[in-house]
Each structure stands twice: as structure tokens, then as C-alpha cells.
Amino acid sequence: MVYVHAGEPTDAGFDAFLAFCRTHKPRIRGYLTFAEGGLPTAAQRARASADYDDFEPRRTAIVTRVLGARPLARTFDWLRGGEWFAAFAPSDLEDARAFLGLSQDDFEAALDAARRLSFVLGITLSR
């Protein structure tokens, strides 16, 4: 699952993302998130946490320049028992791929999807 956003996610957009995840959870192997700006709000994180309790955990790699994302990911990971959430600088994509356990081909396909999404959204992914 690839998720791209710029700025703080809107409630409507974040809830649509959670609904999509609930609908397709058997097919989702992990999450590759590109956060080009703000992070989910505390209320949004609480809704995601509640959803997380309802299905088998999947690894989540958050690629962002936002320095606050890294300690937030570590905290959320610790609350969830470890080894499920990690944040990476845009220059550390290979580490994100390894964390998700994706083959190079699958990761390239995910990056291609992220680039297409960013184009549609009118944002530029950090490198």
C-alpha cells in the first residue's frame, strides 16, 4: 500500500485511507508512506490505532523530511510491540525497502506508484 500526502492530512482524506485499508486489508503486505509535510493529528492517529487493533499488523515505512516523524514512529512502534513502524529520510529508501522486506522489483513498483500519486497531487517527492 502506498500513501502520499503533503501537509497535515485532512480528516476526510485520512478516513478514506483507513476505509480503503479496512476494505483491502487481506491484500496489503505493508505500507510505504511518503509524508511531504505535516503528520496525522492525534485524533487521526487514535483512529488509525483503533483500526490497527482489528487486523494483523503490517510494517509501515514512513519516508519524510519531517524530523518529528522519526521519534513519533518510534513511539508508535513501541506502543505496538516493536518492529512495525519506522521513519526514514528520503535519502534512505534502500533502508525503507529492507525494512518492508520487499524485493527490488516490488519496491520499484511502489516507488513508481508514489511518483504517479505525487504528480496527481501536484507535489514533489523529496530525494
Side-chain angles (χ1 to χ4, degrees), residues 10-121:
T10 65
D11 281 338
F14 197 76
D15 289 344
F17 167 73
L18 293 177
F20 184 90
C21 292
R22 281 190 298 273
T23 301
H24 298 282
K25 65 185 171 187
R27 297 176 44 214
I28 296 171
R29 295 185 292 165
Y31 299 93
L32 177 59
T33 300
F34 286 87
E36 292 293 324
L39 302 170
T41 65
Q44 291 167 343
R45 290 191 306 272
R47 291 196 301 277
S49 183
D51 271 10
Y52 186 86
D53 289 337
D54 290 337
F55 60 92
E56 184 179 327
R58 306 287 192 265
R59 284 194 166 198
T60 301
I62 304 160
V63 179
T64 184
R65 291 175 290 147
V66 179
L67 295 179
R70 293 184 194 130
L72 183 62
R74 279 192 299 274
T75 300
F76 201 66
D77 188 51
W78 179 79
L79 292 170
R80 290 291 162 202
E83 298 303 316
W84 298 108
F85 296 89
F88 301 90
S91 59
D92 296 330
L93 289 178
E94 178 55 30
D95 292 339
R97 184 198 67 74
F99 176 76
L100 291 172
L102 293 175
S103 70
Q104 192 64 43
D105 288 343
D106 285 347
F107 193 67
E108 288 298 326
L111 289 177
D112 184 55
R115 289 181 192 107
R116 285 183 280 137
L117 285 169
S118 68
F119 178 78
V120 169
L121 294 171

